């Protein structure tokens, strides 16, 4: 297990910025269903920066790239390079891990499985990618790693990150692409009451539900949005977004999704799939 210690500043909480599903291309004009993903990514970064909100780290929950190129990952690294805080990332179904690793070592991006965040929290990063298919699955090694990480720090609250949603989110076409072995995942989680939340990307929409006493959160993409509660593929009109999370010493999480306000990004609403 690779562990990173994230020092805590003087405040009692750890503040995280989540960016997800950036779907970047090597080509600066590359677009996904009509949205230029570099432009929408930078629109997000600009509005995050304009908020002048202090934070401790960036977490990126997969689908960083759309075209598998090292240059697309470098584009991500360049974008977040306006800040000095570390970034922890994990792969999604669209990622190509050899290219992802090509930007490492990076002064900012850390590849690790576990972040000891301040005094009271740990963040666990899982790899749910099954190469070549859109659904997710956790290998035995990943499930074991999750179990070990939780067993090692019973006194730390835990936030678990993975790309795929570990429960049905209400859209049939997306739910067939969820984490397949979600039962095995929840079996591990249920043994550890310190798990406060599971946070994912993949579904390109906001989600905040309670499952087995654990909060399950998902976050808008920085590019296209999928329409909630839709049985067939459908895009949503809402703008690109991001999420703030504040991990409190008492185990509570204050969190808020925000969306780009200064510009609007309209995808091709007649697209039949992605
Ligand atoms: Fe995605």
């Amino acid at each position: 297990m690779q562990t990173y210690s994230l020092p805590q500043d003087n405040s009692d909480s750890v503040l995280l910025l989540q960016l997800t599903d950036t779907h970047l291309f090597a080509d600066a004009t590359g677009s996904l269903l009509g949205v230029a993903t570099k432009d929408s990514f930078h629109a997000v970064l600009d509005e995050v920066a304009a908020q002048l909100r202090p934070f401790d780290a960036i977490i990126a929950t997969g689908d960083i790239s759309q075209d598998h190129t090292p240059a697309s990952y470098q584009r991500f690294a360049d974008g977040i390079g306006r800040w000095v805080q570390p970034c922890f990332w994990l792969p999604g179904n669209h990622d190509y891990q050899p290219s992802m690793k090509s930007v490492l070592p990076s002064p900012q991006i850390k590849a690790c499985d576990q972040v000891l965040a301040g005094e009271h929290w740990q963040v666990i990063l899982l790899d749910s990618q099954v190469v070549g298919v859109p659904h997710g699955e956790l290998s035995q090694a990943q499930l074991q790693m999750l179990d070990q990480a939780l067993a090692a720090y019973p006194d730390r609250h835990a936030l678990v990150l993975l790309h795929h949603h570990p429960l049905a989110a209400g859209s049939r076409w997306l739910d067939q692409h969820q984490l397949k072995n979600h039962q095995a995942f929840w079996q591990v989680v249920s043994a550890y009451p310190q798990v406060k939340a599971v946070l994912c990307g993949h579904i390109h929409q906001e989600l905040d539900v309670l499952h087995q006493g654990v909060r399950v959160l998902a976050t808008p993409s920085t590019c296209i949005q999928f329409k909630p509660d839709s049985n067939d593929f459908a895009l949503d009109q809402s703008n690109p977004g991001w999420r703030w999370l504040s991990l409190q010493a008492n185990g509570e999480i204050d969190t808020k999704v925000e969306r780009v306000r200064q510009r609007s990004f309209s995808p091709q609403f007649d697209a039949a799939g992605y």
Side-chain angles (χ1 to χ4, degrees):
M1 193 179 319
Q2 277 187 293
T3 301
Y4 182 91
S5 288
L6 179 68
Q8 189 167 8
D9 64 13
N10 293 325
S11 74
D12 227 15
S13 58
V14 178
L15 193 65
L16 303 175
L17 165 65
Q18 183 199 11
L19 303 171
T20 195
D21 295 83
T22 50
H23 291 269
L24 294 164
F25 295 82
D27 179 351
T29 63
S31 70
L32 186 61
L33 303 182
V35 170
T37 58
K38 182 204 166 199
D39 285 355
S40 60
F41 175 52
H42 278 267
V44 165
L45 298 181
D46 288 347
E47 295 200 21
V48 168
Q51 291 186 335
L52 299 175
R53 196 168 169 173
F55 61 91
D56 298 299
I58 299 168
I59 48 179
T61 40
D63 284 4
I64 313 284
S65 167
Q66 181 66 15
D67 69 0
H68 287 181
T69 59
S72 61
Y73 292 98
Q74 192 56 50
R75 191 174 289 297
F76 178 84
D78 291 346
I80 62 167
R82 64 170 82 192
W83 293 291
V84 296
Q85 289 92 329
C87 172
F88 309 103
W89 72 7
L90 55 78
N93 49 300
H94 282 278
D95 285 303
Y96 181 59
Q97 296 197 34
S99 291
M100 214 169 160
K101 286 178 186 130
S102 74
V103 303
L104 306 176
S106 147
Q108 189 173 21
I109 298 170
K110 317 289 176 198
C112 62
D113 314 298
Q114 179 184 46
V115 179
L116 301 179
E119 304 281 308
H120 306 287
W121 282 84
Q122 69 165 319
V123 180
I124 300 165
L125 294 97
L126 299 174
D127 175 357
S128 57
Q129 184 180 25
V130 184
V131 173
V133 295
H135 72 252
E137 189 160 354
L138 292 168
S139 66
Q140 277 310 313
Q142 286 289 301
L143 288 167
Q144 240 168 43
M145 190 273 288
L146 173 64
D147 191 63
Q148 283 168 5
L150 290 168
Y153 292 95
D155 297 333
R156 282 179 180 263
H157 312 297
L159 169 67
V160 179
L161 310 185
L162 78 169
H163 180 69
H164 294 84
H165 53 313
L167 45 64
S171 293
R172 196 164 51 205
W173 76 274
L174 265 174
D175 289 341
Q176 63 186 345
H177 301 156
Q178 73 177 98
L179 184 74
K180 285 280 183 237
N181 58 345
H182 52 92
Q183 284 176 330
F185 169 74
W186 285 110
Q187 202 174 346
V188 174
V189 168
S190 65
Y192 297 98
Q194 76 263 32
V195 179
K196 302 301 180 198
V198 177
L199 173 62
C200 59
H202 194 47
I203 61 173
H204 292 222
Q205 62 193 270
E206 182 176 2
L207 185 76
D208 189 346
V209 294
L210 212 57
H211 181 76
Q212 295 187 6
V214 179
R215 204 166 173 188
V216 180
L217 301 162
T219 300
S221 160
T222 66
C223 57
I224 55 169
Q225 310 302 310
F226 298 144
K227 199 175 172 62
D229 302 316
S230 177
N231 280 336
D232 299 313
F233 174 87
L235 292 171
D236 197 67
Q237 308 234 3
S238 48
N239 252 347
W242 68 93
R243 181 184 285 279
W244 291 111
L245 298 111
S246 174
L247 312 181
Q248 310 287 324
N250 64 2
E252 284 176 16
I253 299 178
D254 289 340
T255 183
K256 188 165 184 243
V257 162
E258 305 221 26
R259 293 182 189 266
V260 167
R261 292 175 191 203
Q262 305 298 325
R263 293 177 59 184
S264 76
F265 290 87
S266 256
Q268 295 159 349
F269 283 109
D270 54 352
Y274 115 114

